[in-house]
Amino acid sequence: MKTYLSIYYLIQFCGHSWIFTNMTARLLFFGKDSFADTFYAIGLVMQVCQLLSVLELLHILMGEEKQSFLPTLSQVTERLVILFLVITSQEEVQSKCIVCLLFFLWNLWDITRYPYLLLSAIGIEYSALTWLYHTLWIPVHPLSLLAEVYTVYESLPYFEALGTFCYTMALPFAVSIHFPYILKIYMVLLLAGVLYTCSHLYSKRKLYLKQQKLKLKVK
């Protein structure tokens, strides 16, 4: 199982590294013009990587991965909802600058997280990478939250105009599902989910710093 996890983390790292490198190169060469077709350039690989991340939930439930289930569930769910229901379903949203920023933040975190998990799986600790893993989330997660909420906000007019995912069910009484209302509620849930994830990461960081102090005292 250790070999499988190592291969999984390596594949995810390669995928997110490709996305991050591609986005950075396009930004350097084309500047703001690269925003318009960022999704078309890296969207498919991003979708594959995010779908693969569902396996992390199975790894935890099977006891093969030493991560907490609820924070992982929160991150996987919020990304799948934003990527597939909000961005992929609305072509007009895909060319927004905020989508490029959101993908940049997601991948900045993942190209740090997956190498850390890969080394942890094979029993290797690289102090600089460990410190970065326990520190980078402090600016990245709040910025990602703002980018996610703004992405949802930018998509609302298109859902309103096109009626995407809006249905009326013929039950004993008519029930209408107005997707923009669901997205407005979801923006509040996003805040709760990210706060919970940050609280979990903060607890891990405190434990990490405590262990580092103990190691210094022993030396």
Side-chain angles (χ1 to χ4, degrees):
M1 194 66 180
K2 183 184 294 186
T3 302
Y4 162 75
L5 284 177
S6 300
I7 294 173
Y8 169 78
Y9 292 139
L10 181 59
I11 291 173
Q12 284 283 43
F13 172 66
C14 290
H16 288 288
S17 296
W18 182 88
I19 295 171
F20 188 83
T21 303
N22 189 299
M23 290 180 63
T24 303
R26 288 171 54 80
L27 182 61
L28 292 175
F29 280 106
F30 304 114
K32 293 182 179 180
D33 294 337
S34 66
F35 296 159
D37 58 351
T38 290
F39 183 83
Y40 299 101
I42 55 92
L44 179 61
V45 180
M46 175 66 85
Q47 290 170 342
V48 171
C49 288
Q50 296 308 320
L51 286 173
L52 282 176
S53 68
V54 176
L55 292 174
E56 295 174 33
L57 301 175
L58 297 178
H59 299 162
I60 297 171
L61 291 175
M62 293 168 62
E64 300 297 338
E65 190 172 343
K66 297 178 181 178
Q67 299 292 319
S68 297
F69 181 77
L70 288 179
T72 304
L73 176 64
S74 175
Q75 177 175 292
V76 170
T77 303
E78 72 187 43
R79 289 191 178 189
L80 290 177
V81 170
I82 297 292
L83 178 59
F84 287 96
L85 294 185
V86 176
I87 299 175
T88 304
S89 68
Q90 296 296 337
E91 189 173 350
E92 293 82 358
V93 177
Q94 296 168 11
S95 59
K96 299 285 185 180
C97 297
I98 191 64
V99 172
C100 186
L101 175 61
L102 178 60
F103 286 175
F104 181 85
L105 291 169
W106 281 358
N107 286 280
L108 180 61
W109 172 240
D110 286 330
I111 61 174
T112 301
R113 182 168 69 97
Y114 283 115
Y116 169 79
L117 294 174
L118 172 60
L119 293 181
S120 298
I122 58 180
I124 298 176
E125 181 179 352
Y126 183 54
S127 57
L129 181 60
T130 303
W131 178 87
L132 188 62
Y133 170 78
H134 288 290
T135 305
L136 186 62
W137 67 266
I138 297 174
V140 168
H141 273 56
L143 289 174
S144 295
L145 170 64
L146 293 176
E148 288 169 1
V149 170
Y150 191 74
T151 300
V152 174
Y153 175 78
E154 285 280 281
S155 73
L156 289 176
Y158 303 105
F159 282 104
E160 291 279 3
L162 300 174
T164 311
F165 302 135
C166 295
Y167 305 101
T168 300
M169 295 186 291
L171 297 174
F173 51 91
V175 176
S176 296
I177 299 176
H178 192 59
F179 195 64
Y181 290 162
I182 297 175
L183 286 179
K184 290 174 183 178
I185 296 172
Y186 185 69
M187 285 193 282
V188 179
L189 296 178
L190 271 177
L191 174 61
V194 172
L195 286 176
Y196 178 77
T197 302
C198 287
S199 175
H200 171 71
L201 291 172
Y202 176 70
S203 298
K204 290 179 67 174
R205 188 172 193 273
K206 282 180 63 178
L207 179 61
Y208 162 73
L209 293 176
K210 184 178 180 180
Q211 292 172 342
Q212 292 302 109
K213 288 181 180 179
L214 289 175
K215 286 181 181 180
L216 291 174
K217 287 182 179 179
V218 170
K219 290 181 179 180

